[in-house]
Amino acid sequence: MDEQQEEEIFLVVEREAEMASSSDPPIPIKRVAWFLDANPVPVEELPRSPFAPTMHVNPSPVHLRESKVLFRGWGSPLRKWGEWVDKLRPIYGDLWKKSGILDAIGVSTYKIKKDYASVLGLAGVWCGETNTFLFPWGEATVTLEDTMVLGGFPVLGESVRGSLTGELVEIEQKMVKEHRTFNRSTSKKADQSAWMKHYMEHEGDELEHIAFLALWLSRFVFPGPPVKTVKQHLLPIAVRLGRGVRIALAPAVLASLYRDMSAIKDYLVADNSQKTEPLVVWAPFNLLQLWVWEHFLTLRPEKQNLIANGEPRAARWHDVGRKLDLSFVGSALESSEFQWHPYMARLENWSRPSFYKDIGVWICGDASKDEELRSFAQCLRAAELVGVDCIEQYLPHRAAMQFGFDQDLPCHVPRSNAMWEAAWETYDITSKNIAFYVPAPPFKSDVTQQYSIWWKQCMPYYSKLVENDTQTQGSLENIKWQSKVVAEKHMKRIQTLTSIKKRKLQEFYDAMVSDHLLSGNNSVSGDDDSVESQNFRLSAAEIEKQHIGSMKQKEHMGLKPSNDCVGKETLGPVASQSIKSETCEATISSSFENEYKVMMEDFDQRNGWGSAYDYVVLRQPGVNITSQEAKLKLEQALEKRIMMKAEESELEMQIKVLKEEITAIEARVMDLESVAEVQS
């Protein structure tokens, strides 16, 4: 038994291989490469043929958009959570560091905003058989390294399902009694806010510390139903952490994320008629949001925070966010601009783990017992992830480039999840003599020629999408959906532009009438309250006749008289006491309106003249303009008409372009439908 334990297990294989090239035509490059070895058993005992997913199906864009997923485990800090952390950190900070949760507690104080589109878009390309994302350019996944660096969770330590002994059992029993008192409260449950308020009043004793850890585990690490409650089944883990016991939280957190990703994928590909209720998931998906921002530059928020000395890496994403569209997310996921290993690059004020070396080096013997180096080695080992209530398979050799290694054909790894103890044995490397290679940051990892050919063969959907129809960026169903959305947007835009055009004409018309009324009012003398010109003394019948003519002119222009304009035409001020109440001075506008209308139409046809005033004076000799104010108003009105004509032309051009785009989209859909019929 001792000899088997002393036998060296190589997690990395170094050999010469033909690597794929990006040259045109592609010429393989032969060089020394480093690959992750997923099988710690002799080659002859297991088949080495590549394992390709057999049941992977992508959800349609319609299913993605119409599906409703509730992320109940997306933990955000309670209002006074930061105060509680600051209160206990000076007392228990060293203990948190010993148990490996110091950074994880720090991360829980950050607000990570949710981008529903990016998380759901990733779920659409998830494969539950391999627990990886299947992209056109290869596989990737959330690794133990991501969980350790971004979430701050330890990868080394005891299993979360470990039992308590001795004094720890008594502490747990005491905490259980405390928990039951909340069940007898008004809310009938251990509400997280009430729990925090109750224990924050303590003086930092052990009971408060364990209560703090129980709330932290229930809200940020292993959330579950009932929502916003402290979970009694997590008290044993809180007790062990409270005594400084290191527990491997990272594999348990990652297992819950893998489980819920598969649940979302199954929900997305299901028929919409079966989705009577939203899907509720409980894993801490804020970890996946951090993963998206670290690995996809195009999906990152525009703003990032500067990390203060000693802060976790997740601090750069605190309270920043970006709401994206699913179509944009889909395009970003299909592009090969993926940051395979963002943590190797140095980041200001961030303490990079010591296992990132400046030069490539083999680690074995006593050197492999270093805690941080061993943490990195744990991330490289294919194993079963033992969670609180699930067991999921971890296959890092399928995404070796995320660790800085080269990618070879991924072999099959048999499951060992019948019992959690057997599953834990595949994970724990505490008693194993391991050897592994740590790549240098400048090293550019790549895929073998065999892998490049194999991946294109096992992903025909993506290959066809990228090579044969890059303009469509999706299935026929997706194109039809996008076309419908674009066409609807264009039609709404046309309606809006038409409405704007009418509104501008209406405003100009009403303003013109108002100016004439004002001009007419100014011609009334106040000495004897009589009208200077008898031409404006009209009967009620004449007023009504001219008013009807004015309304017909407006209707011909596609306009409706505004209330303000109507009021001015029918309820103008009295010009003279001798004029009866049915005589409205607003009828003055009729003659001015007709003169302006003729003048405007002529000016529209001959707008190549100089200023509007020059046009009126030089080209319209019949017009009698004696007032300088009247000249100015007329010139301003005509200049405004010129600007409005230019705006009308621009709006008409936009409408024309939008209609042409709609026609092109409809033609494109018809072409795609014809192609689909031929292929079927």
Side-chain angles (χ1 to χ4, degrees):
M1 185 68 177
D2 293 339
E3 292 181 0
Q4 290 181 357
Q5 290 180 347
E6 291 298 325
E7 183 182 352
E8 201 167 44
I9 299 174
F10 285 86
L11 303 179
V12 179
V13 175
E14 178 182 341
R15 60 180 170 84
E16 195 174 68
E18 286 189 343
M19 309 304 294
S21 171
S22 59
S23 62
D24 188 18
I27 302 174
I29 301 174
K30 201 167 188 177
R31 65 167 173 84
V32 174
W34 289 267
F35 306 103
L36 290 183
D37 188 6
N39 290 326
V41 297
V43 176
E44 60 271 12
E45 294 188 23
L46 281 177
R48 305 293 289 188
S49 58
F51 175 72
T54 58
M55 301 175 63
H56 178 71
V57 178
N58 282 332
S60 70
V62 175
H63 284 191
L64 277 175
R65 289 176 172 85
E66 294 182 356
S67 298
K68 182 67 174 178
V69 180
L70 303 179
F71 299 93
R72 296 297 192 197
W74 200 294
S76 58
L78 294 167
R79 189 168 59 88
K80 292 189 176 182
W81 175 251
E83 295 181 22
W84 205 6
V85 172
D86 292 339
K87 173 189 175 183
L88 297 182
R89 183 185 284 115
I91 306 172
Y92 297 103
D94 291 339
L95 192 66
W96 296 347
K97 189 173 183 179
K98 178 183 176 183
S99 57
I101 60 174
L102 178 62
D103 281 351
I105 290 176
V107 171
S108 69
T109 63
Y110 304 142
K111 181 182 179 181
I112 307 301
K113 293 185 177 180
K114 183 193 309 173
D115 175 32
Y116 191 82
S118 61
V119 174
L120 209 61
L122 276 172
V125 296
W126 179 257
C127 177
E129 287 183 89
T130 58
N131 284 338
T132 58
F133 302 110
L134 305 186
F135 299 111
W137 35 266
E139 287 182 89
T141 191
V142 183
T143 67
L144 284 170
E145 182 186 23
D146 295 311
T147 311
M148 175 176 58
V149 174
L150 298 177
F153 300 112
V155 298
L156 300 178
E158 299 178 1
S159 169
V160 291
R161 300 196 188 187
S163 58
L164 300 176
T165 58
E167 183 185 2
L168 299 184
V169 176
E170 297 177 3
I171 298 176
E172 183 209 6
Q173 292 174 350
K174 186 175 182 179
M175 288 302 303
V176 169
K177 291 181 181 179
E178 292 275 334
H179 188 275
R180 288 173 180 171
T181 60
F182 285 86
N183 293 336
R184 294 191 295 269
S185 64
T186 306
S187 61
K188 303 297 182 181
K189 61 182 180 180
D191 179 76
Q192 292 177 357
S193 297
W195 181 278
M196 182 174 67
K197 181 180 179 181
H198 174 75
Y199 286 103
M200 276 188 72
E201 298 175 355
H202 288 225
E203 299 298 327
D205 55 21
E206 185 178 38
L207 195 66
E208 179 186 356
H209 183 220
I210 295 175
F212 167 87
L213 294 173
L215 174 54
W216 174 70
L217 289 167
S218 300
R219 188 174 183 86
F220 303 103
V221 189
F222 304 119
V227 66
K228 297 180 181 179
T229 58
V230 177
K231 311 301 184 292
Q232 182 175 325
H233 70 274
L234 297 178
L235 292 176
I237 302 177
V239 170
R240 291 156 68 196
L241 291 173
R243 284 299 179 94
V245 177
R246 182 176 286 255
I247 301 175
L249 298 177
V253 170
L254 192 55
S256 68
L257 187 64
Y258 282 0
R259 175 201 61 200
D260 285 0
M261 285 294 293
S262 297
I264 296 176
K265 180 59 180 289
D266 293 341
Y267 177 79
L268 293 178
V269 299
D271 189 85
N272 281 343
S273 61
Q274 302 175 9
K275 302 173 184 177
T276 56
E277 295 182 356
L279 174 68
V280 179
V281 291
W282 294 95
F285 271 85
N286 43 346
L287 177 64
L288 180 62
Q289 186 68 73
L290 295 174
W291 185 87
V292 171
W293 291 339
E294 289 285 351
H295 289 275
F296 289 94
L297 298 180
T298 55
L299 301 181
R300 287 181 176 179
E302 296 179 0
K303 177 186 175 183
Q304 298 177 27
N305 302 313
L306 292 176
I307 299 177
N309 286 323
E311 281 190 323
R313 188 181 178 94
R316 68 193 299 216
W317 308 116
H318 167 59
D319 204 20
V320 299
R322 185 180 179 187
K323 295 294 183 182
L324 300 173
D325 182 74
L326 270 172
S327 58
F328 179 80
V329 171
S331 299
L333 299 183
E334 289 182 7
S335 71
S336 57
E337 297 179 1
F338 180 78
Q339 302 297 302
W340 284 103
H341 205 272
Y343 317 127
M344 281 188 175
R346 297 187 181 276
L347 191 63
E348 186 177 359
N349 294 332
W350 179 58
S351 300
R352 195 175 66 161
S354 62
F355 53 75
Y356 296 131
K357 304 294 183 182
D358 293 328
I359 58 173
V361 58
W362 275 96
I363 305 296
C364 56
D366 292 337
S368 66
K369 296 178 181 179
D370 176 82
E371 185 176 292
E372 288 203 345
L373 285 172
R374 209 165 183 84
S375 295
F376 180 68
Q378 185 70 77
C379 300
L380 308 179
R381 181 178 172 85
E384 300 287 344
L385 302 175
V386 178
V388 172
D389 55 2
C390 62
I391 300 175
E392 294 289 334
Q393 193 173 33
Y394 177 64
L395 304 173
H397 67 296
R398 303 190 71 93
M401 293 175 66
Q402 287 186 239
F403 303 96
F405 296 102
D406 296 302
Q407 182 64 57
D408 199 4
L409 294 172
C411 63
H412 173 71
V413 178
R415 296 298 306 270
S416 181
N417 58 340
M419 301 287 291
W420 79 262
E421 293 86 355
W424 179 252
E425 180 62 27
T426 68
Y427 178 87
D428 188 22
I429 62 172
T430 304
S431 60
K432 295 178 174 64
N433 183 18
I434 57 174
F436 58 97
Y437 181 79
V438 179
F443 176 72
K444 185 182 182 303
S445 54
D446 215 329
V447 302
T448 63
Q449 182 69 6
Q450 284 183 313
Y451 179 89
S452 178
I453 297 172
W454 169 77
W455 187 251
K456 290 178 181 178
Q457 292 175 344
C458 70
M459 296 300 291
Y461 168 76
Y462 285 122
S463 297
K464 180 179 178 181
L465 173 62
V466 174
E467 296 171 7
N468 299 335
D469 201 2
T470 56
Q471 298 300 321
T472 62
Q473 295 189 359
S475 62
L476 176 60
E477 187 178 2
N478 190 24
I479 293 299
K480 293 174 70 175
W481 185 89
Q482 290 180 351
S483 301
K484 180 181 177 182
V485 171
V486 173
E488 288 177 353
K489 287 183 178 179
H490 284 1
M491 289 303 299
K492 288 181 180 178
R493 178 61 175 162
I494 289 173
Q495 293 172 1
T496 302
L497 293 175
T498 305
S499 176
I500 291 173
K501 180 179 176 181
K502 282 192 173 185
R503 178 174 53 79
K504 287 183 178 292
L505 286 170
Q506 181 79 53
E507 291 174 353
F508 178 76
Y509 182 91
D510 292 343
M512 184 174 65
V513 173
S514 298
D515 289 342
H516 295 332
L517 285 173
L518 182 60
S519 177
N521 291 339
N522 290 337
S523 68
V524 179
S525 172
D527 294 336
D528 55 3
D529 292 334
S530 62
V531 180
E532 292 183 14
S533 175
Q534 297 300 319
N535 294 333
F536 300 128
R537 177 169 287 179
L538 305 176
S539 66
E542 290 173 329
I543 293 172
E544 183 178 0
K545 182 178 179 181
Q546 291 191 9
H547 179 66
I548 293 173
S550 174
M551 294 302 100
K552 288 183 177 179
Q553 288 180 358
K554 281 193 174 186
E555 292 176 359
H556 178 70
M557 296 174 66
L559 303 176
K560 294 181 179 179
S562 66
N563 294 333
D564 184 49
C565 180
V566 171
K568 289 178 180 177
E569 289 183 349
T570 59
L571 299 175
V574 178
S576 173
Q577 294 179 357
S578 62
I579 299 177
K580 296 180 180 182
S581 59
E582 67 267 17
T583 303
C584 296
E585 203 172 54
T587 57
I588 298 171
S589 66
S590 179
S591 59
F592 276 95
E593 177 186 330
N594 292 332
E595 292 178 12
Y596 263 65
K597 186 174 184 295
V598 174
M599 192 181 300
M600 293 296 183
E601 290 175 351
D602 182 65
F603 184 75
D604 289 342
Q605 297 176 3
R606 298 193 289 175
N607 57 10
W609 304 111
S611 70
Y613 177 70
D614 291 339
Y615 165 77
V616 173
V617 175
L618 300 178
R619 303 296 169 181
Q620 301 290 329
V623 177
N624 183 20
I625 301 178
T626 57
S627 168
Q628 185 65 31
E629 182 180 358
K631 294 177 185 178
L632 180 61
K633 285 187 176 181
L634 181 57
E635 183 173 354
Q636 290 175 345
L638 291 172
E639 295 287 1
K640 184 176 181 181
R641 175 63 170 167
I642 295 173
M643 295 176 63
M644 191 176 71
K645 287 286 291 183
E647 291 179 1
E648 286 181 35
S649 299
E650 183 179 355
L651 293 175
E652 289 173 355
M653 183 60 67
Q654 292 182 33
I655 291 172
K656 181 179 179 182
V657 171
L658 290 172
K659 288 182 177 179
E660 290 175 352
E661 290 182 4
I662 291 174
T663 302
I665 290 170
E666 291 173 346
R668 177 64 174 158
V669 172
M670 292 177 64
D671 291 342
L672 289 172
E673 289 175 340
S674 300
V675 172
E677 290 176 1
V678 172
Q679 291 178 347
S680 60

